[in-house]
Amino acid sequence: MAAARRRRRMPDEVRAASVRTVVFLAFTLVSLTYATLASYAHARKALTLSLLVSGVGVFGIFWCLAEIVISRQVAAQKRRGPGRDAPLTGSRPPRR
């Protein structure tokens, strides 16, 4: 068995965005479950409200996913440093 590679810890901004995404996902799944139960009970007001909340939850999930992508790019840019085009630019001296 090969030695396990250590994974780098995610930056705090990315972890926070990931947690928010999971919370929005759980919130949306609960509201969709409530909408399903409301539709079985023929409760129109509860169904309308829960579908509205589910729509807001889906919007929130996509917003958080975009935030994850952006925060990962910002964290990668911070690791690279200012004025570098590629991730490995200037990381090693050139060979002779």
Side-chain angles (χ1 to χ4, degrees):
M1 181 176 212
R5 292 188 325 181
R6 283 193 62 155
R7 292 177 55 182
R8 260 189 291 182
R9 181 177 164 173
M10 286 192 297
D12 291 336
E13 300 88 12
V14 179
R15 286 191 312 148
S18 300
V19 168
R20 273 193 296 276
T21 304
V22 170
V23 168
F24 263 104
L25 179 65
F27 176 71
T28 305
L29 289 177
V30 167
S31 66
L32 284 174
T33 303
Y34 186 79
T36 304
L37 294 174
S39 69
Y40 287 153
H42 300 290
R44 290 189 179 183
K45 286 184 181 179
L47 178 63
T48 304
L49 181 63
S50 61
L51 286 177
L52 181 67
V53 169
S54 297
V56 170
V58 169
F59 177 75
I61 288 172
F62 283 119
W63 185 276
C64 289
L65 288 174
E67 184 183 4
I68 289 174
V69 170
I70 292 169
S71 60
R72 284 178 59 111
Q73 289 176 348
V74 168
Q77 191 174 12
K78 284 180 184 177
R79 270 196 317 269
R80 278 184 245 155
R84 302 237 171 112
D85 294 334
L88 298 176
T89 302
S91 61
R92 294 183 192 156
R95 285 186 166 178
R96 292 181 185 209

